[in-house]
Amino acid sequence: MNRGRDRIAKFLRARKQNDTVKIICLLALTGISFLISSLYHAWRIYRYVESPAEYIITGSETVSNQRMDEIRQNKDVLQAGRQMEVPVSVLYGGEEVTMSCMALSGEYMEKLTSQKITGSASRIYLNQAAFKELQKTVQIDEGTEFGIRYCAGEDAGTGTGAGRDGSEKGGEGDDGTGAAAAPSPGYRQAKLIVINTGREEAESFIYTAETQRRLPQEAVSLRVGFGKHDLDGSHVEFLGKLGYNIEKEEQILSEENELDRMLIHIRYGFLVFGICILGVLVGRRKII
């Protein structure tokens, strides 16, 4: 214990009296700071690369099954599905809201949420983003299943349901008060199921049996999910070679440029760290 205190005291005296010791301390602190910074950026890149990547691509015509198979043949593709934007009107508790949702295939929704999606016409699936959009207009509590009336596509917003005056309540397809429900022109009864994708969502997703049937005939847009991000731009290159336009390509390029900057930071950070360690070793030999 005394020997350790003596060494520390000797070092502190040398630091005040010897310029070489001061330089060694400065080099050590500089090297450690660059090492920590480089490791932090390396950790950020690792997290980015290991996270799933998703691209929205658009063609000039509807997507055939053959074109879908071309994408799925890539070993890095986890899922690929057609999508199309559809208006959806929902009646609940005497209130109506019409919102725009992105209709996805049942297969894609299942892989996105790890939940079983049934093709029943009496079920409508919304993600958390779509449910929050619904809550802005309709007084609906938090939960995962609700009885509603809805219509999607061209009929959305045109229904003249009796639910506006509160008489349309009861049964599975209403707000659950138990009263008998009268049919509403243009609307159908359904159970609304709120699903959780387990990640932050910016888009409203919907799945219904009706939109599932329309996707092969009308969808010109695809959503493609990869297991990981890449560092060499191979995903974008692969999709571009198939003749698709990639949405938000500027944002993707911005992310790639940020990765390049972090990689340069890491390389120079480790280089500076190595130079500092070398300087410490050389300086230590001079004072021994």
Side-chain angles (χ1 to χ4, degrees), residues 107-237:
E107 179 186 3
Y108 198 95
M109 287 281 273
E110 283 189 350
K111 292 183 178 180
L112 192 67
T113 63
S114 300
Q115 297 181 28
K116 182 64 177 176
I117 305 294
T118 66
S120 170
S122 62
R123 291 174 180 265
I124 173 175
Y125 296 86
L126 295 179
N127 67 339
Q128 291 287 339
F131 184 62
K132 289 178 181 178
E133 188 69 23
L134 178 65
Q135 286 181 310
K136 291 179 181 179
T137 305
V138 176
Q139 292 183 353
I140 184 169
D141 297 329
E142 292 291 338
T144 56
E145 294 189 10
F146 305 89
I148 63 163
R149 294 183 185 275
Y150 86 99
C151 64
E154 295 179 356
D155 293 332
T158 62
T160 57
R164 293 173 184 265
D165 61 9
S167 62
E168 187 183 289
K169 298 179 181 179
E172 181 183 339
D174 63 341
D175 62 5
T177 61
S184 300
Y187 286 84
R188 65 189 67 183
Q189 292 185 348
K191 179 178 288 185
L192 185 150
I193 300 175
V194 183
I195 55 179
N196 187 0
T197 61
R199 60 182 179 179
E200 186 176 350
E201 300 164 327
E203 265 187 301
S204 298
F205 298 146
I206 185 175
Y207 169 81
T208 69
E210 176 190 358
T211 55
Q212 172 77 1
R213 291 191 295 268
R214 292 173 53 193
L215 284 173
Q217 288 79 33
E218 301 180 35
V220 297
S221 180
L222 289 173
R223 188 174 291 265
V224 183
F226 290 82
K228 298 180 179 181
H229 282 87
D230 63 337
L231 292 176
D232 57 3
S234 58
H235 293 168
V236 174
E237 182 181 358

Side-chain angles (χ1 to χ4, degrees), residues 89-108:
S89 291
V90 174
L91 281 172
Y92 179 85
E95 296 176 289
E96 178 188 26
V97 60
T98 299
M99 54 188 180
S100 180
C101 291
M102 193 61 68
L104 302 181
S105 67
E107 179 186 3
Y108 198 95

